[in-house]
Amino acid sequence: MKKLFLFAFLFTFLGCGSKDEKEITFTIHNSETITQATTWSGNHKIQGTLMVNGQLNIDACTLIHMDTDSLIHISDGGSVVAVGRENCPIEITSAKEIPAVGDWRGVEINSSASNNNEFTWVNLKYAGSDYGAFWLEDNTTVKFSNLSLENIKLIGIILNGDNSRVPTFSNVKFKNIGSYLISGRADTIKQLNPIVSENNLKNYVHVSGGGINAIATWKNLSVPYLVETLHVKEPLTIEAGTVLNMKNDSAIQVYDSGAIITQGTAVAPVIFDSEKSTPEAGDWSGFEIQATSSNQNSFQYTYIKNVGNYYGALWLEEGSEISISNTVFENVKENAITMSGVIKVKSFENNSFKNVEKHPIVTHANNVKDLRPIIHENLGKERVLIDGGDVTNTGTWLNLALPYELKTIHITESTLTVEEGVEIQMAPESSVRIFDNGALILNGTTENRVTVKSSKSAPAVGDWCNFEISASASNNSAFKNADIMHGAGCGYGYIWLEDGATIELENVTFGESQNSCEVSGDGDVNSTNTTYEVCE
């Protein structure tokens, strides 16, 4: 170790031009290795790689100049404990008279380092390599508090691996960063707290893939996250106001006891959007929530934008559970929500769909009773598609403010009521079959009738089949204040009643039928203000 005398001349022009001369002395460390407890204060200059294999304490007010391509490497039980003060921070910066980004490489913390690394009230400037200004190998530990990173060539901090530990992360500032502020695996991100940023090229916290393998909360960091495909295997909560920009074709897959829980508010929604500066529908794939996920999945005051693939922006596997409220699906390729089989919809309130290529919702028939009216604008197919299935739970299909499109369904062991004002558009050749104590009630009123018609854009008689009521059905089926048209395409009129079956018709009108009759079979019809012909 040796001393180097550098002379700085400060010129102050007063009167006839007197000058003041100040001498600064640096301690030089040329490719040095620290193997025992050491304390630095004053001024130091590092040349080459400083290997820290013992504990290096750096006092407040210390100035460290880093030579070109120099590096601080911490390993083999070593640590750096750099603790400055607000009024006297530690400064680690370029040794050049005219510094530039990337003048020196940065700080690397190896997994063999000790667990008491700390950088508090430290200003680190002009660093950066492919490994970032700070690089934390998997299974390392470091505390960051009141740390300022400025004029960094590429990434500010890299958390490499799923087990990089940052037990303290507070008041960390990033200025003039040439790439992501932070890049880390999904399991490390929960350790971060809000940051301060200014004039950064890629103003993101980059989530470089991986899985959520422990319960986690992602905080609103005041800058967006940039997220690669994410595997959520334990509950992940996302704070109000958080913005997540999704990489191209990325997805969020939830399974194995995982859950996605967004906690947006009316003034601070959670936003999932494309990373692109000019986003389009389908830029990222969407959410896949599998049956093995937990029952905590919930979207509250959430925007889901520029998304979608064949399975929809939000795909729910049979057996999964979900709550969706005050959520907006916007610029969606294909369908917005796909409920594949019977799922548990715990709440569904005040949701909006805008610029959706196809249907806002595709669902199994048994889920429809849990849906509530939606807000919609510019849908490719302005109807909720009921993709068949068995109705086995008693409930009411509400007027959602747009029609239902219905494929063949079976109603058993339950009573399905259709609310006044509902329009049902029957898919080609579809039927409604009622048996085994099932019942169907079309519950229109004089002012708001129920309409059952063809789903075709140019409808015609016989587009769909009929209602079939078996003798095993309950006696509670009733059609009241209903208009039924474009059906009777299977040769049995609009309604087929097996011997022993019963239906009540009140103020029902039928459109034309292929064989000029509306009701067939040997069952009983109790009718009021309804005109129909019996098929021979």
Side-chain angles (χ1 to χ4, degrees), residues 108-393:
E108 296 179 4
I109 306 177
N110 189 270
S111 60
S112 63
S114 80
N115 291 331
N116 63 331
N117 292 284
E118 179 178 353
F119 293 82
T120 296
W121 288 113
V122 174
N123 299 331
L124 189 148
K125 302 177 180 179
Y126 300 106
S129 68
D130 291 343
Y131 295 96
F134 276 97
W135 181 78
L136 279 65
E137 192 175 33
D138 200 14
N139 294 303
T140 57
T141 301
V142 63
K143 297 177 181 178
F144 293 125
S145 178
N146 298 292
L147 169 69
S148 176
L149 298 179
E150 186 174 347
N151 297 322
I152 305 301
K153 182 178 180 180
L154 293 174
I155 299 172
I157 299 173
I158 296 178
L159 306 175
N160 187 59
D162 295 322
N163 299 297
S164 299
R165 295 178 293 274
V166 187
T168 301
F169 189 94
S170 64
N171 196 31
V172 179
K173 302 177 182 179
F174 299 84
K175 182 178 180 180
N176 299 331
I177 309 298
S179 185
Y180 306 125
L181 311 185
I182 302 169
S183 181
R185 302 283 287 173
D187 256 346
T188 67
I189 299 301
K190 65 183 178 182
Q191 304 171 96
L192 304 181
N193 289 303
I195 63 180
V196 180
S197 67
E198 180 183 347
N199 193 35
N200 301 302
L201 184 63
K202 295 183 179 180
N203 204 42
Y204 295 109
V205 169
H206 175 225
V207 184
S208 58
I212 301 298
N213 298 296
I215 295 172
T217 296
W218 285 6
K219 303 177 184 69
N220 179 358
L221 301 180
S222 76
V223 298
Y225 295 86
L226 181 63
V227 184
E228 310 271 359
T229 290
L230 182 63
H231 300 271
V232 181
K233 304 175 188 177
E234 289 289 341
L236 171 61
T237 299
I238 300 176
E239 280 188 345
T242 300
V243 177
L244 302 98
N245 291 110
M246 305 299 298
K247 292 285 285 183
N248 194 45
D249 294 329
S250 63
I252 296 178
Q253 299 170 342
V254 187
Y255 55 98
D256 288 355
S257 300
I260 187 81
I261 304 163
T262 66
Q263 295 183 330
T265 67
V267 296
V270 172
I271 299 174
F272 295 88
D273 201 353
S274 167
E275 67 163 326
K276 294 182 179 179
S277 57
T278 53
E280 297 179 346
D283 279 349
W284 62 286
S285 293
F287 298 89
E288 301 173 12
I289 299 181
Q290 299 182 17
T292 58
S293 66
S294 84
N295 60 3
Q296 301 178 58
N297 293 295
S298 175
F299 292 90
Q300 177 177 312
Y301 283 104
T302 302
Y303 283 79
I304 302 171
K305 304 169 68 175
N306 299 302
V307 61
N309 63 13
Y310 176 79
Y311 296 100
L314 172 60
W315 178 82
L316 298 153
E317 187 177 34
E318 182 167 13
S320 60
E321 300 186 25
I322 191 77
S323 296
I324 309 174
S325 62
N326 299 292
T327 292
V328 177
F329 296 83
E330 185 174 350
N331 296 335
V332 178
K333 185 178 180 180
E334 298 286 334
N335 304 303
I337 299 176
T338 300
M339 301 180 184
S340 181
V342 179
I343 70 167
K344 186 174 182 180
V345 183
K346 295 190 288 187
S347 67
F348 189 93
E349 300 286 347
N350 198 36
N351 297 306
S352 301
F353 301 83
K354 182 179 180 180
N355 299 333
V356 178
E357 183 181 27
K358 292 184 178 179
H359 299 92
I361 304 169
V362 177
T363 180
H364 185 282
N366 222 27
N367 306 321
V368 179
K369 63 181 177 55
D370 299 316
L371 303 181
R372 297 296 178 267
I374 67 175
I375 302 164
H376 61 92
E377 178 182 346
N378 193 30
L379 305 178
K381 296 187 176 181
E382 292 193 345
R383 46 197 182 266
V384 169
L385 174 59
I386 304 173
D387 198 21
D390 296 343
V391 177
T392 57
N393 295 320

Side-chain angles (χ1 to χ4, degrees), residues 72-84:
I72 299 173
H73 183 86
I74 309 168
S75 61
D76 295 339
S79 63
V80 171
V81 180
V83 181

Side-chain angles (χ1 to χ4, degrees), residues 452-455 459-465 484-489 494 511-512:
V452 182
K453 59 188 291 187
S454 170
S455 65
V461 175
D463 280 349
W464 59 281
C465 286
I484 304 173
M485 62 195 79
H486 308 139
Y494 282 98
E512 295 182 14

